[in-house]
Amino acid sequence: MGRRPFALFAAVLVTAGGGTASSDPPAGNKSAHGEEWPILETADGRDIIAKLEQKGTEPSKRQQAVKDNLAYTDFQEGYFGEQTEEAERDMEIQIVEGPAAIEAVEAVYGMEGFDRQGILFYELEADGASLPGVWIGVKKPDDRLQQVLDRLQRKVDAGELLAELIHFYRSPHTQQDLIALQDQVSAAVKKLYEGSGSYAVSVDTISGDISVTHDFLKRTDIDALKKQFQEKPILFQQEGSMAPEPGQSAVILPDHPETETPQEEGGFVLDTGDGGFLVAGGTEAAVSYAFAEADRLTAGSRVTVDATGPFAESYPAQGQAKYVTVHPDYRPAGAALSESQVFRMAIEATDEPFLVVETVTYDTEKKTWTVKEAEGNELVFQDR
């Protein structure tokens, strides 16, 4: 059989797509029977307001759907991890109950309507969920929730779904609420950004908790943000070292420019330009970095880069450098050349703008330098 793509998700926001139903709720907050939606029970800290009933129906159609999907090579060949009973049960939810729930919500609420009314997400055994399944949360339930229930109940009665794997609860927030909150916090953090460092703002789908990762916010900034959004706690997490403040150099130079000890740390600077440099080889991945002080770096030097922010997936990758530590240039006792000079000679000899070097070594007896490329090729240069 051919491969059928599917993926595991946990606590993932689902954006409805398709559908033509109106997103404007009817007046009031009542079911089709004219009754309020009472709390049936509390599970995992959530107020359950509706349930599907299995009614003893044998879910034979569900079993066949699961059997057909798990037979595809993606799962059988372990593309989604180890094939455990837990993994199978999680996959079943995403194969059967998940798509059915999404389809029902789309049909009733429309493409954008549910974003304004609630949230939908998976909770899986692999993530430690005590009540795995599809969770449908509605902030202000009305007649439309009953329509969703009716659609799904018909599938349960037909043996297509397991009722116990679809949960309905009163959510304190909607997907639109979370997006608006995330945008508000992002805008507030952006005002404090001074052009150095990076930040990311996220809001947990289920709890609505806000997380801010950064490398530039000062304590006074954090206190101000907490006060501004005091109705919702914010978790701040610093990633790596703090970015340099305005006027502070991000280039860390060695105490001594040269050393007689062979260097192992760092990658080689291949090229520098206006606002950026390229590094590869040694202990550094091949990356083209944006860096305001690139003009202070020299091709052939060994550097260690403290990056900030996301990387663009390419080869070489693209990122932003926060700090660049320059290592002393290796010049053996009695040698005329240094490692950086030999590296530049290798670039000229190969006429390759992108040279990935694994090691540069010096033979004291033969007085020769050997440049070993990552592919295994070796270039030998006479020191004198």
Side-chain angles (χ1 to χ4, degrees):
M1 289 186 177
R3 291 183 180 173
R4 177 187 179 93
F6 44 73
L8 290 174
F9 297 98
V12 177
L13 279 172
V14 176
T15 302
T20 58
S22 169
S23 61
D24 297 324
N29 179 29
K30 300 179 182 296
S31 71
H33 305 292
E35 299 174 350
E36 297 287 347
W37 291 84
I39 298 173
L40 303 180
E41 61 179 271
T42 299
D44 277 358
R46 299 171 193 147
D47 294 334
I48 305 299
I49 55 175
K51 289 186 176 183
L52 297 171
E53 297 181 55
Q54 199 65 47
K55 299 180 181 179
T57 306
E58 180 67 25
S60 57
K61 292 183 180 180
R62 181 187 191 274
Q63 293 169 358
Q64 187 59 48
V66 168
K67 181 179 179 181
D68 291 344
N69 278 273
L70 293 185
Y72 282 93
T73 55
D74 275 349
F75 185 79
Q76 293 299 321
E77 295 180 7
Y79 283 90
F80 298 97
E82 186 180 355
Q83 297 180 43
T84 63
E85 292 183 2
E86 178 186 78
E88 277 199 29
R89 288 192 294 269
D90 284 345
M91 190 68 72
E92 289 175 12
I93 293 169
Q94 295 169 97
I95 290 171
V96 181
E97 280 73 26
I102 294 170
E103 181 183 10
V105 165
E106 287 180 351
V108 173
Y109 287 90
M111 183 174 66
E112 298 179 357
F114 194 67
D115 288 354
R116 296 193 289 270
Q117 302 301 318
I119 58 174
L120 188 155
F121 56 87
Y122 295 115
E123 282 202 317
L124 305 176
E125 287 188 60
D127 300 314
S130 58
L131 282 175
V134 184
W135 285 81
I136 300 174
V138 181
K139 188 173 183 179
K140 295 180 179 180
D142 51 44
D143 284 349
R144 288 170 298 178
L145 179 57
Q146 186 62 53
Q147 295 176 44
V148 173
L149 281 162
D150 292 342
R151 285 173 175 269
L152 293 174
Q153 185 62 58
R154 286 194 290 270
K155 288 182 175 292
V156 171
D157 294 342
E160 299 176 21
L161 305 174
L162 280 179
E164 64 183 20
L165 295 178
I166 303 180
H167 314 282
F168 301 87
Y169 76 106
R170 191 187 299 273
S171 173
H173 49 254
T174 69
Q175 180 170 324
Q176 190 178 68
D177 291 340
L178 298 182
I179 293 173
L181 179 60
Q182 180 171 301
D183 290 345
Q184 291 168 12
V185 176
S186 294
V189 175
K190 185 178 181 180
K191 290 181 179 179
L192 301 171
Y193 182 64
E194 297 179 323
S196 180
S198 64
Y199 65 93
V201 179
S202 62
V203 181
D204 186 85
T205 303
I206 302 171
S207 67
D209 292 341
I210 311 167
S211 296
V212 177
T213 56
H214 70 96
D215 59 6
F216 68 91
L217 292 173
K218 305 178 184 66
R219 171 50 57 185
T220 53
D221 298 331
I222 292 174
D223 290 342
L225 289 169
K226 286 183 175 180
K227 184 177 181 180
Q228 183 177 348
F229 297 96
Q230 54 187 317
E231 73 283 356
K232 201 70 177 177
I234 303 179
L235 173 64
F236 290 91
Q237 182 176 351
Q238 180 182 322
E239 285 195 338
S241 58
M242 289 287 282
E245 296 185 9
Q248 176 187 353
S249 176
V251 177
I252 302 173
L253 298 174
D255 294 334
H256 303 285
E258 293 188 352
T259 180
E260 296 181 356
T261 303
Q263 299 294 287
E264 296 181 357
E265 292 297 316
F268 297 94
V269 175
L270 274 72
D271 190 21
T272 63
D274 184 19
F277 67 97
L278 178 62
V279 66
T283 58
E284 290 287 313
V287 181
S288 177
Y289 286 104
F291 189 56
E293 297 182 74
D295 58 348
R296 298 188 62 191
L297 306 178
T298 304
S301 299
R302 276 186 184 261
V303 297
T304 297
V305 183
D306 184 0
T308 183
F311 280 85
E313 294 184 3
S314 58
Y315 190 80
Q318 299 177 59
Q320 180 181 352
K322 178 165 52 177
Y323 288 102
V324 177
T325 299
V326 180
H327 298 282
D329 197 6
Y330 170 46
R331 188 190 299 270
L337 300 174
S338 69
E339 183 181 64
S340 65
Q341 291 173 313
V342 172
F343 186 89
R344 290 193 291 272
M345 291 170 62
I347 293 178
E348 294 177 2
T350 58
D351 196 28
E352 293 183 16
F354 191 74
L355 181 66
V356 181
V357 170
E358 190 175 283
T359 59
V360 179
T361 56
Y362 179 68
D363 188 318
T364 56
E365 294 183 0
K366 297 180 180 180
K367 297 188 182 303
T368 57
W369 291 86
T370 300
V371 178
K372 182 179 180 181
E373 299 180 52
E375 295 82 2
N377 301 326
E378 291 187 350
L379 301 172
V380 180
F381 299 93
Q382 194 69 38
D383 184 68
R384 294 179 184 275

